[in-house]
């Protein structure tokens, strides 16, 4: 019973939450909207709701000096209650301070773009949209960036097979069985038998 | 005074913006990069970058391998500085595991990293100069790079994609006689950097082609997230080796060269000065090489604690970051790569505004992109 519950719940990060000055300031300003998040590698991490994301990031840029957006990374957790997550890695060039801001949400949710705070976010968000299917609100140019425009699906989602949608077809061709079998059963069986004899 | 043309002339000589395609099979784009330029006369007024021709899905692929099996694929990101890529990934796993790396291994890593930086900068120098029209520099740069690659081959077993480090340390100590050869090379190489500078730094044609071209301000450079020499040329002190110290870099005395003007010429100077600093670091590391173990004790099957880590190194192109999420199993749940070339290429839009079309080639060369890293 406990195992089943755990499997449903997924897994949670180990380690202790790290409280830096910037995290302290954010907590003072936003109260319980900002939650320190545990991290095994001793990196300061906070978690916010998607409604507060823009406000918190804007505050961190203006008031605590995180002028440099190092990275935006997306991840997919189909086992969790909220399926997608984004991690914003901020850095302050003056103070040499790092902070990660995490946000969790579902596939259909719209995430406010931060390309108006840091222009660098433009391509990072396009990448997250392209490979993970995160939808951003008010983004100046939300199009695919690494994959062709007519690509279907988002490859970094967990349900997407490693070899792409055509993976099964390629595998079946490799073992000599034609992938497109005729509709009637008799001729299909015949083709498979011939393939085996070869 | 009315400058407007008479209407009948306006109809004949009507000016309009045109689109010009550059790449993806253009020799000066350093790979399969396609730029769609919008031109007003000879000035660039818009740039639309088309990338992804070299996308191999490295991040997805890594999720299907164990931590150790995934190591060699990251060499293929920036194939001109494979050693540093490997350091980035391995460092991220070690950070997640909380392993302490022996001092000697860290020193060997620093030496190999800096040699790789020299090799990468030399390729950049040669091709960048070739793009602008100074052909002879390429031959000299490739000649010295060959010596660096030979040194790396003797130490790591491979010339280019050398799967340099295992998780937890390094594989080998230096082979017999390697240190002497390396010292000899560094001694000669310092003179060679002077030679390159003699060919280019004071060269009138070189200065005319590069000074004032592709300017980006300090504020813009930070806001657009540039990194590496491209950022430092705009007078921003951000080098991961100093700003977020990792490995054995705090032990060494070296400077971070900064530019003043943020143009193509300053980016060139920054990289040249960086090569001198790399030589300094290697010499100090060879002098102060500690004794001890080569590898920390790491269990054969790696299962890091549940959680995430973001580890960055100063790659030859800029800040190279690895973000790894572990679910406590033997395969990484998610690997995300912050690639400096990708972000720097984004800044090309700002740099190329109102530049002459003839300078576009100099500009692409100056941000030093490798398309394997842009597209992943």
């Amino acid at each position: 019973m406990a195992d089943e519950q755990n499997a449903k719940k997924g897994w949670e990060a180990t380690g202790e939450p790290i409280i830096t000055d910037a995290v302290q300031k954010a907590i003072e300003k936003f109260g319980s909207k900002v939650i320190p998040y545990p991290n095994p590698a001793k990196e300061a991490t906070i978690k916010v709701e998607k409604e507060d994301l823009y406000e918190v990031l804007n505050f961190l840029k203006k008031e605590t000096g995180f002028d440099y957006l190092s990275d935006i990374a997306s991840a997919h957790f189909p086992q969790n209650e909220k399926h997608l997550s984004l991690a914003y890695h901020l850095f302050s060039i003056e103070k040499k301070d790092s902070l990660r801001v995490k946000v969790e949400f579902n596939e259909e949710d719209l995430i406010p773009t931060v390309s108006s705070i840091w222009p660098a976010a433009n391509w990072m968000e396009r990448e997250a949209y392209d490979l993970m299917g995160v939808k951003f609100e008010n983004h100046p140019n939300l199009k695919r960036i690494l994959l062709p425009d007519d690509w279907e699906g988002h490859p970094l989602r967990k349900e997407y097979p490693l070899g792409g949608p055509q993976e099964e077809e390629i595998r079946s061709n490799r073992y000599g069985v034609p992938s497109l079998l005729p509709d009637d059963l008799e001729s299909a069986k015949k083709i498979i038998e011939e393939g085996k004899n070869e | 005074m009315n400058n407007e043309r008479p209407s009948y002339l306006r109809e004949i000589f009507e000016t309009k913006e045109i689109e010009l395609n550059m790449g993806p099979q253009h020799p000066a784009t350093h790979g399969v990069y396609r730029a769609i330029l919008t031109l007003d006369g000879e000035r660039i007024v818009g740039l639309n970058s088309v990338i992804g021709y070299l996308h191999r899905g490295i991040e997805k692929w890594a999720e299907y391998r164990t931590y150790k099996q995934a190591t060699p694929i990251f060499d293929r990101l920036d194939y001109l500085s494979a050693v540093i890529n490997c350091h980035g990934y391995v460092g991220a796993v070690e950070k997640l595991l909380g392993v302490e790396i022996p001092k000697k291994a860290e020193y060997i890593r620093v030496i190999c990293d800096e040699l790789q930086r020299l090799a990468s900068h030399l390729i950049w120098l040669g091709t960048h100069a070739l793009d602008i029209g100074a052909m002879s520099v390429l031959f000299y740069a490739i000649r010295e790079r060959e010596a660096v690659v030979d040194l790396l081959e003797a130490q790591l077993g491979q010339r280019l994609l050398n799967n340099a480090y295992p998780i937890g340390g390094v594989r080998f100590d230096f082979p017999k006689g390697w240190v002497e050869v390396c010292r000899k090379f560094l001694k000669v190489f310092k003179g060679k950097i002077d030679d390159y500078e003699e060919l280019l730094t004071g060269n009138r044609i070189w200065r005319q082609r590069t000074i004032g071209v592709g300017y980006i301000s300090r504020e813009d450079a930070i806001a657009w997230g540039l990194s590496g020499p491209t950022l430092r040329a705009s007078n921003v002190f951000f080098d991961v080796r100093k700003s977020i110290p990792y490995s054995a870099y705090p032990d060494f005395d070296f400077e971070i060269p900064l530019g003043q003007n943020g143009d193509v010429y300053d980016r060139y100077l920054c990289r040249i000065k960086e090569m001198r600093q790399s030589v300094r670091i290697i010499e100090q590391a060879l002098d102060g090489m500690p004794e001890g173990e080569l590898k920390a004790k790491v269990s054969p099957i790696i299962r890091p604690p549940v959680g995430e880590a973001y580890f960055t190194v100063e790659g030859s192109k800029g800040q190279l970051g690895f973000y790894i999420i572990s679910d406590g199993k033997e395969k990484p749940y998610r690997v995300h790569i912050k690639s400096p070339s990708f972000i720097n290429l984004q800044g090309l839009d700002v740099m190329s505004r109102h530049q002459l079309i003839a300078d576009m080639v100099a500009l692409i060369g100056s941000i030093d992109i490798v398309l394997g890293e842009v597209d992943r």
Side-chain angles (χ1 to χ4, degrees), chain A residues 113-139:
Chain A
T113 177
V114 293
S115 56
S116 51
I117 308 177
W118 298 278
N122 191 327
W123 278 22
M124 297 177 188
E125 288 178 345
R126 279 177 71 183
E127 188 198 330
Y129 165 72
D130 186 0
L131 302 179
M132 194 63 89
V134 182
K135 292 187 186 72
F136 291 95
E137 210 175 2
N138 300 330
H139 190 281

Side-chain angles (χ1 to χ4, degrees), chain A residues 138-155:
Chain A
N138 300 330
H139 190 281
N141 183 20
L142 193 63
K143 285 196 292 192
R144 288 191 182 270
I145 185 162
L146 292 175
L147 300 176
D149 285 340
D150 55 354
W151 194 270
E152 279 172 24
H154 302 286

Side-chain angles (χ1 to χ4, degrees), chain A residues 11-12 14 39 43 68 70-71 73-74 76 91 100 102 119-120 122-123 127 145-146 155 157-158 160, chain B residues 51-52 59-60 63 95 223-227 238 306 308-310 319 323 327 333-334 336 338 346 376:
Chain A
W11 31 266
E12 273 172 18
T14 52
N39 185 283
E43 295 168 333
Y68 187 83
S70 180
D71 189 24
S74 54
H76 187 210
F91 185 73
R100 175 189 298 121
K102 273 176 80 79
N122 191 327
W123 278 22
E127 188 198 330
I145 185 162
L146 292 175
R157 293 267 179 92
K158 286 288 172 186
Y160 197 95
Chain B
I51 57 173
E59 293 175 7
K60 181 83 176 171
E63 289 173 14
K95 191 174 183 183
W224 284 91
L226 307 185
S227 55
F238 175 54
V306 177
E308 60 212 324
Y310 182 60
Q319 187 193 29
Y323 172 67
D327 59 350
Y333 187 78
R334 171 88 167 93
H336 177 85
K338 184 252 161 117
Q346 183 179 201
R376 281 155 284 166

Side-chain angles (χ1 to χ4, degrees), chain B residues 68-123:
Chain B
K68 279 183 178 176
Q69 285 173 337
T71 320
I73 193 73
F74 298 109
D75 288 1
R76 274 84 179 158
L77 286 171
D78 175 359
Y79 36 77
L80 295 177
S81 54
V83 175
I84 306 182
N85 296 339
C86 190
H87 194 169
Y89 170 71
V90 164
V93 179
E94 284 158 1
K95 191 174 183 183
L96 205 48
L97 282 170
V99 194
E100 187 139 332
I101 311 303
K103 203 82 182 162
K104 178 161 187 173
E106 294 280 35
Y107 270 59
I108 294 177
R109 280 183 178 187
V110 165
I111 291 171
C112 294
D113 277 12
E114 293 304 317
L115 281 174
Q116 184 72 85
R117 196 184 311 280
L118 288 181
S120 173
H121 279 8
L122 283 169
I123 280 276

Side-chain angles (χ1 to χ4, degrees), chain A:
Chain A
M1 188 66 194
D3 284 352
E4 267 177 35
Q5 267 180 355
N6 278 343
K8 226 176 188 181
K9 208 173 143 208
W11 31 266
E12 273 172 18
T14 52
E16 293 291 313
I18 309 289
I19 309 283
T20 57
D21 288 351
V23 176
Q24 195 62 46
K25 270 188 191 167
I27 290 174
E28 275 168 24
K29 165 91 180 166
F30 293 100
S32 60
K33 285 179 183 172
V34 170
I35 305 156
Y37 193 77
N39 185 283
K42 298 189 175 59
E43 295 168 333
T45 308
I46 57 172
K47 203 171 129 182
V48 295
E49 290 298 320
K50 69 174 198 305
E51 288 80 16
D52 313 319
L53 179 72
Y54 187 87
E55 220 179 319
V56 171
L57 288 175
N58 205 11
F59 170 80
L60 289 171
K61 156 103 194 259
K62 300 263 157 62
E63 306 295 327
T64 55
F66 285 108
D67 48 358
Y68 187 83
L69 177 66
S70 180
D71 189 24
I72 298 177
S74 54
H76 187 210
F77 302 93
Q79 74 279 15
N80 282 9
E81 195 184 322
K82 291 185 174 171
H83 290 180
L84 291 171
S85 88
L86 282 177
Y88 295 76
H89 293 102
L90 315 180
F91 185 73
S92 162
I93 286 176
E94 286 292 314
K95 295 177 189 163
K96 300 184 170 55
D97 191 13
S98 308
L99 179 66
R100 175 189 298 121
V101 180
K102 273 176 80 79
V103 59
E104 290 178 359
F105 51 93
N106 271 320
E107 282 92 340
E108 62 276 9
D109 292 340
L110 285 172
I111 303 302
T113 177
V114 293
S115 56
S116 51
I117 308 177
W118 298 278
N122 191 327
W123 278 22
M124 297 177 188
E125 288 178 345
R126 279 177 71 183
E127 188 198 330
Y129 165 72
D130 186 0
L131 302 179
M132 194 63 89
V134 182
K135 292 187 186 72
F136 291 95
E137 210 175 2
N138 300 330
H139 190 281
N141 183 20
L142 193 63
K143 285 196 292 192
R144 288 191 182 270
I145 185 162
L146 292 175
L147 300 176
D149 285 340
D150 55 354
W151 194 270
E152 279 172 24
H154 302 286
L156 286 181
R157 293 267 179 92
K158 286 288 172 186
E159 70 266 7
Y160 197 95
L162 178 63
Q166 69 278 32
E167 185 176 354
E168 284 306 312
E169 200 183 323
I170 295 167
R171 278 181 197 283
S172 57
N173 279 340
R174 187 180 297 164
Y175 299 115
V177 181
S179 57
L180 296 169
L181 292 172
D183 284 341
D184 64 309
L185 198 63
E186 286 306 310
S187 47
K189 272 182 184 167
K190 208 175 157 190
I191 289 174
I192 293 174
E193 284 304 315
E194 277 170 10
K196 272 182 189 169
N197 292 337
E198 278 171 16

